[in-house]
């Protein structure tokens, strides 16, 4: 089985980016929406000029932003992926892809309507991130949803031929359990932090579990 894709999100400082740049991440996320981890695109542009990400791809996280706001970020930051984390419509995602020519992922918040929402975005979204639904919070809650639902989301993503990442409350203490669901990928922010900063040792612990899982499934 292929190793799950790794996305480390919420990089808010130059030092955070240095740490994740040295990791095995496939994707590195920056938040351009209201959040304690929000970053300025001008700062991110400067960091990326100084830090070698090697072959890692950049993801920009937006919450109900308009096209102009996203284009302003793109003018500064060469994003590989735009991640829409709010209540964006199918039509908006279509416009966004046409306007920017960039890959777009849609975040799906786990609830009884979530699978139906995924189905609505078929042939539009280029990937999904399934996150915990918390009232008045779009993401970064550090809380898991019921992972027994993962196979349903994974099956729908497989049907659409796009990747599905799992987010919310993932850390060294539960990564082994998460990997047992044979996911496409996972998305971690607070779970790789110590005292609010990205932590090399925590990342290493998580990646050791990924390596063990990969060895067992060869």
């Amino acid at each position: 089985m292929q190793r799950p894709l790794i996305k480390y999100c919420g990089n808010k400082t130059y030092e955070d980016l240095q740490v994740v740049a040295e990791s095995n991440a496939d994707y590195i996320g920056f938040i351009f929406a209201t959040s304690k981890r929000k970053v300025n695109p001008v700062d991110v542009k400067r960091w990326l000029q100084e830090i070698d990400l090697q072959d890692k791809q950049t993801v920009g996280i937006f919450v109900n932003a308009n096209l102009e706001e996203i284009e302003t970020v793109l003018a500064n930051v060469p994003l590989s992926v735009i991640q829409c984390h709010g209540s964006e419509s199918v039509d908006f995602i279509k416009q966004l892809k046409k306007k920017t020519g960039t890959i777009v992922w849609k975040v799906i918040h786990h609830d009884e309507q979530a699978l139906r929402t995924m189905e609505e975005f078929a042939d539009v979204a280029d990937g999904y991130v399934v996150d915990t639904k918390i009232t008045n919070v779009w993401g970064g809650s550090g809380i898991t949803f019921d992972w027994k639902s993962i196979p349903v989301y994974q099956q729908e993503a497989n049907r659409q031929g796009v990747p599905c990442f799992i987010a919310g409350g993932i850390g060294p203490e539960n990564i082994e359990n998460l990997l047992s669901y044979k996911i496409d990928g996972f998305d971690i922010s607070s779970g790789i932090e110590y005292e609010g900063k990205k932590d090399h040792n925590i990342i290493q612990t998580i990646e050791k579990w990924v390596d063990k899982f990969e060895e067992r499934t060869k």
Side-chain angles (χ1 to χ4, degrees):
M1 180 179 173
Q2 184 178 357
R3 174 181 75 76
L5 297 168
I6 300 173
K7 175 171 174 269
Y8 293 141
C9 199
N11 299 283
K12 65 181 185 297
T13 64
Y14 181 90
E15 291 72 25
D16 278 351
L17 188 57
Q18 282 183 310
V19 171
V20 298
E22 296 172 359
S23 73
N24 293 330
D26 301 284
Y27 297 93
I28 295 179
F30 302 96
I31 298 174
F32 299 105
T34 301
S35 165
K36 62 183 179 182
R37 298 183 180 88
K38 182 177 181 178
V39 290
N40 186 310
V42 175
D43 291 334
V44 176
K45 178 182 180 180
R46 186 178 72 253
W47 302 341
L48 292 175
Q49 289 171 341
E50 298 178 10
I51 297 174
D52 181 11
L53 299 187
Q54 301 171 61
D55 58 350
K56 297 173 178 61
Q57 298 190 61
T58 54
V59 182
I61 289 79
F62 301 87
V63 176
N64 298 326
N66 59 43
L67 292 172
E68 290 72 25
E69 290 170 332
I70 296 174
E71 286 183 306
T72 297
V73 173
L74 285 170
N76 288 281
V77 184
L79 294 176
S80 310
V81 180
I82 295 169
Q83 180 175 314
C84 291
H85 211 108
S87 54
E88 298 88 358
S89 68
V90 170
D91 284 343
F92 177 80
I93 301 298
K94 287 180 178 178
Q95 291 179 47
L96 180 59
K97 291 177 66 173
K98 184 177 181 180
K99 188 85 172 177
T100 66
T102 305
I103 290 171
V104 178
W105 293 346
K106 182 70 183 79
V107 171
I108 303 295
H109 291 92
H110 171 70
D111 62 15
E112 63 277 3
Q113 300 295 322
L115 181 60
R116 186 174 300 174
T117 301
M118 278 187 78
E119 293 169 346
E120 290 173 357
F121 281 91
D123 300 321
V124 179
D126 299 304
Y128 297 98
V129 178
V130 182
D131 201 355
T132 305
K133 184 179 179 66
I134 303 292
T135 303
N136 298 323
V137 177
W138 290 108
S141 66
I143 299 172
T144 60
F145 62 89
D146 183 0
W147 286 351
K148 292 178 182 176
S149 302
I150 288 176
V152 175
Y153 296 125
Q154 188 63 68
Q155 183 178 19
E156 177 58 23
N158 291 345
R159 185 186 71 81
Q160 296 184 25
V162 298
C164 180
F165 290 75
I166 304 302
I170 303 167
E173 72 285 351
N174 59 12
I175 186 67
E176 182 182 20
N177 182 30
L178 178 62
L179 294 173
S180 70
Y181 286 94
K182 300 178 181 178
I183 56 174
D184 284 340
F186 58 84
D187 184 342
I188 306 181
S189 184
S190 61
I192 55 168
E193 293 178 354
Y194 178 72
E195 295 184 347
K197 300 176 181 178
K198 303 306 184 198
D199 186 272
H200 176 73
N201 292 327
I202 298 175
I203 287 173
Q204 275 199 324
T205 300
I206 287 171
E207 293 181 353
K208 283 178 182 177
W209 280 115
V210 174
D211 291 341
K212 286 180 181 179
F213 177 78
E214 189 178 15
E215 285 296 322
R216 289 200 300 262
T217 55
K218 278 185 178 178

